[in-house]
C-alpha cells in the first residue's frame, strides 16, 4: 500500500514536469547531496545513467571549499554530490560504476565496524522497524542494555558473517572513494553522554586517518541527529563540514556543519528517483509522519 501510494505520487510529479522545472530553475545555484545506504548495483547504475545525462556529479570537497571561499562560480549548475552512509559490505559492488562514471562519492563509514566481523546494531535481524525507532530514542546505555538483553548484541562482538566492508575492499576503493567518518559504532549522538559523543566523533576521525593515511574533513551524524553540542565537538575536532539528514539543497548560505540532504530510497525505480530529486515525496512523507505522531 505504501509503495503503491509512493509510486502514484512519483508518477504524478514526473507527469506534471515539476521535476524538470525544479532541476532547471531552482537547482541552478543549489547543490543536492544525495544520501544512499546500501543500493544494489543494478539500481544504482540506472540512477547514475540518469544523473550523467541531466546533472553534474561533483565531490563533497568541491562544495565545502566553495562555501568557505564564498564563491560558487566553480560549481556547475545542477550539481549533485553522492554520499553513501555506514560502509555496508555490498558497497564494494558499486566500485565499477564509480570508475565507469568517473565520480568520487563520499562514503561515511563506521570506523569500528568496517574491517571487522562486528555488526551494525540497526541491522540485527530480530528487531522490527518500530522497535528500532523506539531504540533510537533511548539513552545510549539503555539502548545497548536492551539490545544485549533481547538479541545478545554487543558492539564489539565478533559474528560469523560481516555487515561491513573489509580492509581489502576499502583499500581497493580508496582511489575512487572519498572515505569519511560516521562515528565508530553508529550510536544516536544526541542520546550519548558528552564523553561518549567525543569518543565517537573524534575517535572515528583518528581511526580512519590512521587506516588510510589521509586527513578526514567531513562528518555525517548517525540518523541525522545533532544538537549544538555535536556541532561544537565536530568543529573543535577539526572537521570542516557535517552532513545532516535535514531535507533540502545547499547554497552559499547553508551552515557547513548542517549540510542538507536529498535522501534517496536504495531501491528507487527511475520514476521514484526522478521524483525524489525534487524532494517533494520526502517532504510529504515527513509531514504525514509528523501528523500521525500528533
Ligand atoms: Zn548511518
Amino acid at each position: 500500500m505504501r509503495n503503491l501510494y509512493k509510486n502514484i505520487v512519483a508518477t504524478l510529479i514526473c507527469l506534471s514536469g515539476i521535476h524538470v522545472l525544479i532541476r532547471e530553475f531552482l537547482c541552478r545555484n543549489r547543490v543536492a547531496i544525495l544520501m544512499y545506504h546500501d543500493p544494489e548495483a543494478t539500481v544504482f547504475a540506472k540512477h547514475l545513467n540518469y544523473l550523467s545525462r541531466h546533472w553534474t556529479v561533483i565531490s563533497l570537497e568541491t562544495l565545502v571549499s566553495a562555501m568557505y571561499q564564498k564563491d560558487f562560480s566553480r560549481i556547475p549548475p545542477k550539481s549533485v554530490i553522492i554520499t553513501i552512509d555506514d560502509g555496508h559490505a555490498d558497497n564494494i559492488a558499486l566500485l565499477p560504476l564509480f570508475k565507469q562514471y568517473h565520480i568520487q562519492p563520499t562514503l561515511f563509514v563506521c570506523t569500528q565496524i568496517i574491517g571487522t566481523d562486528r555488526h551494525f546494531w540497526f541491522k540485527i535481524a530480530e528487531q522490527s522497524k518500530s522497535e528500532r525507532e523506539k531504540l533510537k530514542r533511548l539513552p545510549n546505555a539503555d539502548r545497548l542494555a536492551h539490545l544485549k538483553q533481547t538479541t545478545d548484541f554487543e558492539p564489539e562482538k565478533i559474528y560469523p558473517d560481516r555487515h561491513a566492508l573489509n580492509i581489502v575492499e576499502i583499500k581497493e576503493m580508496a582511489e575512487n572513494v572519498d572515505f569519511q567518518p560516521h562515528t565508530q559504532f553508529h550510536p544516536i549522538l544526541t542520546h550519548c553522554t558528552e564523553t561518549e559523543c567525543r569518543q565517537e566523533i573524534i575517535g572515528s576521525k583518528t581511526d580512519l586517518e590512521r587506516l588510510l593515511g589521509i586527513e578526514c574533513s567531513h562528518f555525517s551524524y548517525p540518523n541525522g541527529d545533532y544538537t549544538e553540542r555535536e556541532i561544537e565537538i565536530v568543529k573543535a575536532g577539526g572537521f570542516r563540514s557535517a552532513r545532516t539528514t535535514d531535507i533540502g539543497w545547499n547554497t552559499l548560505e547553508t551552515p557547513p556543519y548542517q549540510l542538507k540532504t536529498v535522501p534517496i530510497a536504495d531501491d528507487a525505480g527511475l520514476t521514484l528517483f526522478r521524483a525524489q530529486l525534487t524532494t517533494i515525496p520526502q517532504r510529504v512523507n515527513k509531514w504525514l509522519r509528523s501528523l500521525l505522531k500528533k
Side-chain angles (χ1 to χ4, degrees):
M1 186 64 199
R2 226 179 130 234
N3 269 351
L4 179 70
Y5 153 78
K6 241 203 273 183
N7 285 324
I8 291 173
V9 171
T11 307
L12 287 176
I13 289 170
C14 292
L15 283 176
S16 70
I18 290 177
H19 67 297
V20 178
L21 291 177
I22 288 181
R23 183 182 74 220
E24 296 301 325
F25 295 103
L26 206 65
C27 292
R28 292 229 144 250
N29 303 305
R30 287 163 214 246
V31 179
I33 302 181
L34 310 190
M35 174 181 67
Y36 289 90
H37 292 88
D38 195 9
E40 272 184 32
T42 46
V43 176
F44 192 63
K46 287 182 190 150
H47 295 189
L48 286 185
N49 179 275
Y50 177 79
L51 289 175
S52 71
R53 285 184 286 123
H54 300 284
W55 298 77
T56 304
V57 181
I58 62 168
S59 69
L60 180 59
E61 181 53 41
T62 305
L63 169 67
V64 175
S65 296
M67 285 175 141
Y68 278 97
Q69 287 159 10
K70 294 264 166 254
D71 178 10
F72 254 31
S73 62
R74 270 184 291 168
I75 303 270
K78 300 178 277 178
S79 281
V80 292
I81 292 161
I82 293 174
T83 64
I84 305 176
D85 279 13
D86 307 328
H88 297 273
D90 289 343
N91 288 171
I92 185 67
L94 309 177
L95 180 59
L97 292 167
F98 303 158
K99 291 181 182 169
Q100 183 187 340
Y101 286 95
H102 305 287
I103 56 169
Q104 199 196 30
T106 295
L107 255 73
F108 289 110
V109 295
C110 297
T111 59
Q112 286 291 326
I113 303 182
I114 55 163
T116 74
D117 288 345
R118 293 171 182 164
H119 274 180
F120 290 114
W121 71 267
F122 52 84
K123 276 180 98 176
I124 297 291
E126 292 92 342
Q127 49 179 341
S128 68
K129 200 175 172 207
S130 66
E131 275 168 349
R132 198 160 56 236
E133 291 308 311
K134 262 188 225 155
L135 286 178
K136 286 180 184 174
R137 296 193 288 273
L138 292 182
N140 197 44
D142 294 358
R143 176 182 61 83
L144 291 173
H146 187 274
L147 282 166
K148 170 74 187 154
Q149 204 184 13
T150 54
T151 66
D152 203 29
F153 171 86
E154 284 173 50
E156 297 188 36
K157 185 166 150 183
I158 301 299
Y159 289 83
D161 59 329
R162 66 185 164 97
H163 276 175
L165 293 165
N166 68 24
I167 299 291
V168 174
E169 290 163 342
I170 289 166
K171 299 246 157 133
E172 193 188 337
M173 294 172 95
E175 206 180 304
N176 304 85
V177 167
D178 167 39
F179 280 106
Q180 300 290 341
H182 184 45
T183 69
Q184 293 182 311
F185 291 100
H186 210 286
I188 306 300
L189 291 172
T190 50
H191 295 316
C192 288
T193 63
E194 173 135 5
T195 310
E196 287 169 335
C197 194
R198 274 183 201 286
Q199 177 58 37
E200 286 283 347
I201 296 172
I202 311 297
S204 67
K205 188 174 193 285
T206 313
D207 287 344
L208 202 54
E209 292 184 339
R210 243 184 237 151
L211 178 69
L212 293 173
I214 49 162
E215 199 188 333
C216 295
S217 320
H218 312 291
F219 183 76
S220 106
Y221 306 102
N223 206 44
D225 292 324
Y226 67 96
T227 63
E228 276 304 316
R229 181 186 74 174
E230 284 71 39
I231 293 178
E232 282 312 312
I233 296 174
V234 168
K235 227 189 250 185
F239 289 100
R240 291 164 60 234
S241 83
R243 204 215 61 214
T244 67
T245 55
D246 302 342
I247 298 166
W249 296 281
N250 298 283
T251 66
L252 266 187
E253 279 70 47
T254 309
Y257 296 97
Q258 288 166 274
L259 296 180
K260 293 189 181 209
T261 186
V262 178
I264 301 293
D266 284 337
D267 59 353
L270 213 45
T271 305
L272 181 59
F273 178 59
R274 282 187 295 171
Q276 287 191 327
L277 287 172
T278 69
T279 72
I280 295 170
Q282 299 95 316
R283 288 177 203 267
V284 171
N285 210 351
K286 202 176 156 196
W287 175 70
L288 285 176
R289 262 187 295 165
S290 70
L291 280 187
L292 286 173
K293 262 191 211 158
K294 279 177 193 163

